[in-house]
Amino acid sequence: QAFLSVTSILDVAVFRDHFVLEDLVGEMRKQSPALSFGPLQPEGQIAVQGPFPALRVLREFLLSKAKSLSEEDKREGKSHQRLNRGAAETRNSVRDAHGEKQAVVLDTDVYHYMRHFLPKTFQASDVVISGVPDGDITTVCIENAGGKAGAAHALRVKKRIELHSGELQKKLRKERLSLQEHSRGEKQRYKQLCERLQRHYPGVLIIPYNTHIDVVGPSAGIFEFAEQVRS
């Protein structure tokens, strides 16, 4: 299994005054069938995963929506109160995206691999970094801890995580060893075998679950590892 997709968090809260956000997300799904959409969060953020070209097309679609709404507001001459509220929402969106709190969505397997082999990626002074796995994706939050580094530092940490994640997605593969038909004792023996073999494959990570074991790493390493276990 190859990692051939990218992930992004979109903030559609700025459309709240003009659309029912659930309807807008439905329109986005129809517009971009190649993309996978996570649940819409109460604050208006949604995780989107898929090929980069499809994400770029979706971005252009949302930008055209925003532009048409801006032109509509100018034509209709909205009240001063309405314009101020819209401006405040825009500032909040920018602050969330480029301010003291950053978020990046990673493939969960890539996240675990980075935590194991590149732990310093998630270590930085004056910021708190936390990961929240949710199935195939993990949301990593980078929040300023109140030091002097400021918002720019949190953004640099986010960029570093994105850089390492992008590099790993190009070279990592995954093999899944099913444990569905095995007894509890057999499952335990399989996991112990994997742990022993892992010492001879320094670039391979095993992620055990109740029903299977995921083997993540460079293609040659994980295929050889999986064959060893199966034999």
Side-chain angles (χ1 to χ4, degrees):
Q1 178 177 343
F3 300 96
L4 300 178
S5 64
V6 293
T7 53
S8 178
I9 290 183
L10 301 180
D11 190 340
V12 295
V14 293
F15 294 99
R16 198 185 299 274
D17 279 351
H18 302 274
F19 300 104
V20 175
L21 293 187
E22 288 78 5
D23 293 344
L24 176 62
V25 171
E27 192 174 348
M28 289 160 58
R29 292 178 188 273
K30 292 179 181 178
Q31 172 76 18
S32 305
L35 297 176
S36 175
F37 292 80
L40 178 64
Q41 302 300 318
E43 65 273 16
Q45 291 186 335
I46 184 169
V48 184
Q49 183 179 38
F52 180 74
L55 276 171
R56 186 166 53 190
V57 170
L58 178 62
R59 176 178 177 273
E60 294 301 319
F61 167 74
L62 291 175
L63 285 176
S64 67
K65 282 272 189 187
K67 183 179 178 181
S68 65
L69 291 175
S70 176
E71 292 172 351
E72 180 182 331
D73 283 351
K74 289 178 182 178
R75 287 195 304 268
E76 294 182 2
K78 300 294 183 182
S79 69
H80 183 67
Q81 182 180 2
R82 175 65 173 273
L83 288 173
N84 278 343
R85 184 170 62 176
E89 287 178 351
T90 302
R91 286 196 299 271
N92 287 339
S93 175
V94 172
R95 186 178 68 239
D96 289 343
H98 302 290
E100 296 185 354
K101 185 174 182 179
Q102 302 289 335
V104 57
V105 180
L106 305 180
D107 180 283
T108 294
D109 294 314
V110 173
Y111 170 73
H112 286 310
Y113 196 90
M114 291 172 67
R115 292 285 301 184
H116 186 83
F117 290 106
L118 300 170
K120 291 185 178 180
T121 305
F122 300 99
Q123 298 170 5
S125 59
D126 295 325
V127 295
V128 177
I129 304 174
S130 58
V132 182
D134 182 15
D136 291 335
I137 65 172
T138 294
T139 302
V140 178
C141 295
I142 307 105
E143 192 166 4
N144 191 297
K148 298 179 180 179
H153 182 52
L155 183 59
R156 284 194 297 271
V157 174
K158 175 188 176 184
K159 294 296 183 184
R160 185 179 69 194
I161 293 172
E162 289 177 331
L163 175 64
H164 288 310
S165 170
E167 291 172 346
L168 289 173
Q169 280 186 316
K170 295 175 184 177
K171 70 176 185 180
L172 292 181
R173 300 293 183 268
K174 178 170 72 174
E175 278 278 307
R176 176 162 291 180
L177 305 173
S178 176
L179 301 177
Q180 290 278 19
E181 304 300 324
H182 297 284
S183 66
R184 181 179 299 180
E186 290 172 332
K187 290 178 182 180
Q188 186 61 31
R189 287 194 291 272
Y190 258 95
K191 291 177 182 178
Q192 291 172 348
L193 173 61
C194 287
E195 290 170 358
R196 290 197 301 270
L197 280 175
Q198 191 177 23
R199 302 168 191 167
H200 303 288
Y201 295 87
V204 167
L205 175 68
I206 60 169
I207 308 174
Y209 297 93
N210 189 46
T211 57
H212 62 274
I213 298 173
D214 283 341
V215 185
V216 181
S219 57
I222 66 163
F223 294 148
E224 185 177 330
F225 184 98
E227 287 302 312
Q228 290 263 12
V229 174
R230 292 184 178 116
S231 65

